[in-house]
Amino acid sequence: MADGNRWEGKRHVGDLRKQARQLENEIDLKLVSFSKLGTNYSGSREYHGNSIEDASDHEKSDTAPLLNKANSEHMFETMAMEIEQLLARLTQVNDQMAEYTQNISVNSHNSALLHTLQRHRDILQDYSHEFQKTKANITACAEREDLLGSVSAYKNATQRRTDLYLKENEHIRNSDRLLDEQISIAMATKENLQGQRGTFNSITQKLSNMGNRFPVINSLIQKVNLRKRRDAIILGFVIGICVVLLLIYAFH
């Protein structure tokens, strides 16, 4: 009966060791991929930060990383979650082996199991340390790039605001120049009208002086004007009579 229990215990421990090795292999592969993802993640962020100022559109399309920022962040979170789950499962298997070693008698077989258990614990510790280190590096890189991106965005916004202020200042200067031109044109027009007014006043004054010097001419001019006015009145009277006669003839 004891031999049967011992055999069952060995088989149980063998299964646990097999599970532990499988989990360790999976974690090792995941950590390698996780480390490469961290490199690509950092490279893609550095590329997006530097290409804004240094690379042309053609160079961007040729040298851009395969993973963009959004895909890298999604894969980072997914792989981190998978590795944490595998580490939790490996921890559970190690705990089960530790529990089994505490229930068996102290002998050479138990010493071998303790040595095997310690080796698995060391591997688990190394994997956990490597995972946390890689995760911390990627997180620090992401925080650094986000901070630099915020500073760059602030600088770009400030530059755009400065450009708008400069354009607005240029528009104001152009408006001032146009107003100055309009004022100059108005002043020139005013001076021209004042000159014409002076000319007309001068002509009127000369005519008045001429009339005062030659009374005969002035009297003759007045008679001519009276005659023209009388002729206009007579002509209007005649035209009025003709119109009345035409209306009477038309209605009869």
Side-chain angles (χ1 to χ4, degrees), residues 38-143:
T39 303
N40 293 332
Y41 185 80
S42 301
S44 63
R45 279 179 167 264
E46 291 177 358
Y47 169 82
H48 288 295
N50 296 331
S51 61
I52 295 176
E53 300 179 353
D54 301 335
S56 63
D57 295 337
H58 179 71
E59 291 173 347
K60 289 179 185 178
S61 62
D62 294 338
T63 61
L66 295 178
L67 295 177
N68 55 28
K69 178 180 176 182
N71 291 336
S72 297
E73 290 179 351
H74 177 70
M75 292 188 65
F76 167 73
E77 294 175 356
T78 302
M79 293 190 67
M81 185 181 298
E82 292 177 355
I83 293 174
E84 288 176 351
Q85 292 175 355
L86 291 174
L87 290 173
R89 289 173 57 188
L90 181 58
T91 302
Q92 184 179 3
V93 172
N94 289 343
D95 291 340
Q96 291 177 0
M97 284 192 293
E99 182 180 358
Y100 173 77
T101 56
Q102 293 175 359
N103 295 329
I104 62 176
S105 59
V106 179
N107 51 31
S108 60
H109 178 66
N110 188 22
S111 299
L113 288 177
L114 291 174
H115 177 74
T116 301
L117 177 61
Q118 184 62 38
R119 185 171 63 82
H120 286 297
R121 285 178 174 176
D122 292 339
I123 294 174
L124 174 61
Q125 184 177 1
D126 292 339
Y127 285 163
S128 299
H129 178 72
E130 182 179 355
F131 169 68
Q132 295 298 333
K133 181 179 178 181
T134 304
K135 183 179 179 181
N137 291 335
I138 296 176
T139 303
C141 178
E143 293 176 352

Side-chain angles (χ1 to χ4, degrees), residues 206-218:
K206 289 180 179 180
L207 291 176
S208 178
N209 293 333
M210 185 178 294
N212 293 329
R213 286 183 181 181
F214 305 100
V216 177
I217 296 176
N218 189 19

Side-chain angles (χ1 to χ4, degrees), residues 132-201:
Q132 295 298 333
K133 181 179 178 181
T134 304
K135 183 179 179 181
N137 291 335
I138 296 176
T139 303
C141 178
E143 293 176 352
R144 174 179 174 273
E145 294 300 328
D146 289 338
L147 178 60
L148 293 177
S150 300
V151 173
S152 178
Y154 175 76
K155 290 175 63 178
N156 292 334
T158 304
Q159 184 63 35
R160 287 196 297 270
R161 202 176 297 116
T162 303
D163 293 340
L164 290 177
Y165 289 155
L166 291 175
K167 290 181 179 179
E168 187 66 23
N169 187 25
E170 185 66 22
H171 291 163
I172 293 174
R173 291 177 60 185
N174 293 333
S175 299
D176 291 340
R177 188 175 66 254
L178 291 176
L179 288 175
D180 292 338
E181 292 177 356
Q182 295 298 324
I183 292 173
S184 299
I185 293 173
M187 293 296 294
T189 303
K190 180 182 177 181
E191 293 177 356
N192 189 13
L193 291 175
Q194 289 178 348
Q196 292 180 6
R197 180 181 179 183
T199 301
F200 291 147
N201 290 334

